[in-house]
Amino acid sequence: GGAGGGLVRNNYVGLAPDGASARPNALGGVYVRASAENEIGGSQAAGWGNLVSGNSAGAGVEFAGCTSGPNLVLGNSIGTDAAGLAARPNQWGGRSSDSGGVEVGDSSDTGNLVSGNASWGIRITQSDDSLALSRLNRVRFSVVGLAANGSALGNGTAAESDGGILIEAGARENQVGGTSPGEGNVISGNVGCGVRIARGAANRLEGNRIGTDAAGAAAIGNSRHGVFIEGAEGVGWAAESNVVGGGDSYYLNVISGNAGAGIRIEGTAARRNQIAGNAIGTDPGGTARLPNLEGGIAIAGGACGNLVASNRIAFNGQSGSGDGCR
């Protein structure tokens, strides 16, 4: 910890040289603590990405106590074999704990493949949800839950507790996706939710495909909700003021094809979230039928003051939206 400026490139971490046989490290793959300006991987064209898979008791790549940033995770395969077609799970997926300024993918040539892990593909958390240390992390240009050929290779083994991306315990001001072409992630095929925000505030989801293929044209659903925002009264940060989508087409998330709701907002502390400008149950153009089986938007459990505006919500299995204030 503390030195910074390290480069970790073109390694197999947790697998044998054949790229398929597990050789697990007992405490995870790559661990960076209280250090800045490190680069894990790099350009895919240059072959700088790492294969970080099969580690038995920790995360594939973990940052802890790195609050100054930036630390970069670029062009890696995390949780798969070398071909990107079969799961070689890391027990805890990828993780950022009490850390800020971590960049997971920063261009079309440095997106990561994060699939096949045993819990969450990417988890942004902190040890004390009153501190707001885990902030200003970004996840872009990456695939979370699909194989290299585009088929499902989900993260997670238990639908209630696992899935694609988890932001929790007061983590705030983090960005999943972006507004430039290709900057969004594909978050599909996971066992659990695509994205879950649990007691996280002021996070943004923009330009992602959640429950579909990369084009948003075919369903490859997550086994629960596409996006789940939940807050628990009196427990740390409320799930408050998170933004899913935005004001124009560049912010549009396609949230379709999931086995639960497209978006579910639940709990009395899940309030003042904004859901705007998304395609929910359709393709990006709003014409193809890609239903979420439990409805488009569900607002439940006393969640109040949430804004739902200018979305395309169609073809879903139950009601298109709901009112949870009671």
Side-chain angles (χ1 to χ4, degrees), residues 4 7 50 55 85 89 102-103 111 116 144 146 161 165 176 193 199 217 229 248 269 280 286 296 314 320 322 325:
L7 296 174
N50 302 283
N55 296 289
L85 300 177
V102 177
E103 297 271 352
V144 183
L146 300 184
S161 59
I165 297 177
V176 177
C193 295
R199 306 196 318 273
I229 300 173
D248 58 47
I280 303 172
C325 295

Side-chain angles (χ1 to χ4, degrees), residues 42-279:
S43 164
Q44 294 169 338
W48 288 344
N50 302 283
L51 176 63
V52 188
S53 302
N55 296 289
S56 59
V61 178
E62 179 170 1
F63 293 89
C66 303
T67 56
S68 57
N71 285 295
L72 306 178
V73 183
L74 308 175
N76 304 285
S77 295
I78 302 173
T80 76
D81 64 358
L85 300 177
R88 297 293 183 268
N90 297 294
Q91 189 64 34
W92 295 351
R95 179 173 177 174
S96 171
S97 177
D98 293 342
S99 293
V102 177
E103 297 271 352
V104 180
D106 68 356
S107 72
S108 60
D109 189 42
T110 61
N112 299 274
L113 177 65
V114 186
S115 300
N117 294 287
S119 58
W120 289 92
I122 297 171
R123 182 184 182 193
I124 301 172
T125 187
Q126 56 186 24
S127 57
D128 184 337
D129 66 7
S130 68
L131 297 178
L133 295 173
S134 291
R135 55 190 297 268
L136 302 176
N137 301 289
R138 296 200 292 181
V139 181
R140 299 178 294 161
F141 299 101
S142 295
V143 174
V144 183
L146 300 184
N149 64 3
S151 62
L153 189 64
N155 300 287
T157 56
E160 291 296 320
S161 59
D162 300 332
I165 297 177
L166 172 64
I167 301 172
E168 65 169 357
R172 58 191 292 122
E173 300 172 85
N174 300 288
Q175 180 181 5
V176 177
T179 60
S180 298
E183 197 171 8
N185 307 282
V186 182
I187 308 166
S188 301
N190 294 288
V191 181
C193 295
V195 179
R196 179 181 174 191
I197 300 174
R199 306 196 318 273
N203 301 288
R204 301 187 68 91
L205 276 61
E206 300 163 333
N208 302 288
R209 304 291 186 254
I210 303 175
T212 75
D213 63 4
I220 311 177
N222 299 289
S223 73
R224 289 195 77 210
H225 312 305
V227 177
F228 186 22
I229 300 173
E230 80 179 306
E233 187 67 40
V235 182
W237 291 97
E240 182 175 286
S241 301
N242 300 288
V243 178
V244 181
D248 58 47
S249 61
Y250 295 106
Y251 296 80
L252 176 143
N253 298 284
V254 177
I255 307 172
S256 301
N258 298 288
I263 300 172
R264 184 174 180 87
I265 304 174
E266 182 174 317
T268 55
R271 55 182 182 254
R272 292 191 288 274
N273 299 286
Q274 299 179 42
I275 312 299
N278 303 285

